Amino acid sequence: MTPRLLPFVLLFAAFTAQAQPAKPAAWPAPWLGVHLLVGSDAQLNDLVDQAPKLAAMGVNALIVEVDYNFDFRSHPELGRPTAITRPVAAKLAEVCRKNKIRVIPQLNCLGHQSWAANTLPLLTKHPEFDETPGQYPANKGIYCRSWCPLNPDVNPMVFDLMDELIDAFSADAFHIGMDEVFLIGSDFCPRCKGKDKGELFAKALNDYHAHLVGKRKVEMFMWPDRLLDAAITGDSEWEASKNGTFKAIDLIPKDIVMCDWHYGNRKAYPSVPLLLGKGFRVWPAGWDKPDATLALARFAREQMNDRMMGHLATTWGKVKAANLADFEPLKAVAEEYRRP
Ligand SMILES: [Zn+2]
């Protein structure tokens, strides 16, 4: 090569490098996944029994949302010794590995720190971490509590919990939740008051990414509804953001896997091409209605994009772990993915 050509070659190389989509992880595509809330060893044992059936359907990923339902050692006050234990988590991990199912543990970060009147352990034991400390007694008038993304004492504690779950499930990926965060940048928080909500949300994501991807070398998954501008996607305030957090979409790493949830039957799901266009891998997630699940799965497949990963079936209490392989929307989408 002549020196005169070198700049053009380098330019071409840079262009082609940028034009190539990020390679999917070394796990098979398409990804057919299931998301399940889990709170006991008994449920994990049911999943152990279901694993061969799920694998036979084509399921190759299982998100187990553990949250605080674990026998945590680093911070025992945040867990429950009678909930999920290490030996059973290890058993599920081993059986799933043999069945080529990737197990991805989940701990909801930032938001979803309460449900109805019940505040979850982190903010019960550490009310000083609350984004709205002392406000909304019995959680009246709010959806869910949030922790403060700028309180310097929260992340070290949460990272200990993440580490325990990653180790217990021998996981190479972690789901951080992050959906439906309505309390952020609150006037009741002395640190966050007046700050940009998109920048606060991005800071939280970048902090978690630095720990999970940077330090632990695992992949990071999230629900992306707070990254979507509802005015653009036309979604409700649940499926997309009307509280300014969407600015964060341009302030975070592109290697985060976006579990883009939509549970209604529609002709189009604008967030799927939007997230793909931003350079993210997208794992569309449906729920309980087979027709809506198929509408989302077919729309996603039509995108013909290497970063469209497959389908994630959420369950949200509609099926027990013991009957997971019989969940109708999962069967429908598994059938859809058997079609070429
Ligand atoms: Zn705050």
Side-chain angles (χ1 to χ4, degrees), residues 27 62-64 66 89-90 92-94 96-97 101-107 161-175 211-213 215-221:
W27 288 76
L62 181 63
I63 299 179
V64 283
V66 177
L92 178 66
E94 174 62 13
C96 283
R97 191 185 61 76
I101 297 172
R102 187 182 198 185
V103 179
I104 303 169
Q106 179 180 343
L107 172 72
L161 305 185
M162 289 177 177
D163 287 351
E164 285 200 54
L165 294 177
I166 290 168
D167 294 342
F169 289 94
S170 303
D172 63 0
F174 196 88
H175 196 303
H211 181 74
L212 291 168
V213 182
K215 186 172 175 207
R216 291 302 312 260
K217 312 295 180 200
V218 302
E219 284 194 292
M220 185 163 117
F221 290 55

Side-chain angles (χ1 to χ4, degrees), residues 134-184:
Q135 302 296 318
Y136 310 113
N139 304 332
K140 284 211 176 84
I142 59 168
Y143 176 58
C144 293
R145 289 191 176 276
S146 303
W147 72 56
C148 171
L150 297 186
N151 186 317
D153 298 324
V154 180
N155 284 353
M157 197 171 283
V158 170
F159 293 166
D160 287 341
L161 305 185
M162 289 177 177
D163 287 351
E164 285 200 54
L165 294 177
I166 290 168
D167 294 342
F169 289 94
S170 303
D172 63 0
F174 196 88
H175 196 303
I176 57 169
M178 300 295 281
D179 57 321
E180 302 173 333
V181 180
F182 294 104
L183 290 178
I184 183 168

Side-chain angles (χ1 to χ4, degrees), residues 79-97:
R80 281 191 296 125
T82 55
I84 292 165
T85 61
R86 270 168 198 73
V88 180
K91 181 164 70 170
L92 178 66
E94 174 62 13
V95 169
C96 283
R97 191 185 61 76

Side-chain angles (χ1 to χ4, degrees), residues 273-286:
L274 188 151
L275 289 162
L276 289 169
K278 291 283 184 184
F280 296 105
R281 279 176 293 163
V282 179
W283 202 12

Side-chain angles (χ1 to χ4, degrees), residues 130-131 147-151 185-186 189-193 200:
D130 200 322
E131 177 66 7
W147 72 56
C148 171
L150 297 186
N151 186 317
S186 167
C189 177
R191 289 167 295 270
C192 299
K193 180 180 180 178
L200 285 170

Side-chain angles (χ1 to χ4, degrees), residues 12 110 199 270:
F12 179 73
L110 198 62
E199 289 176 11

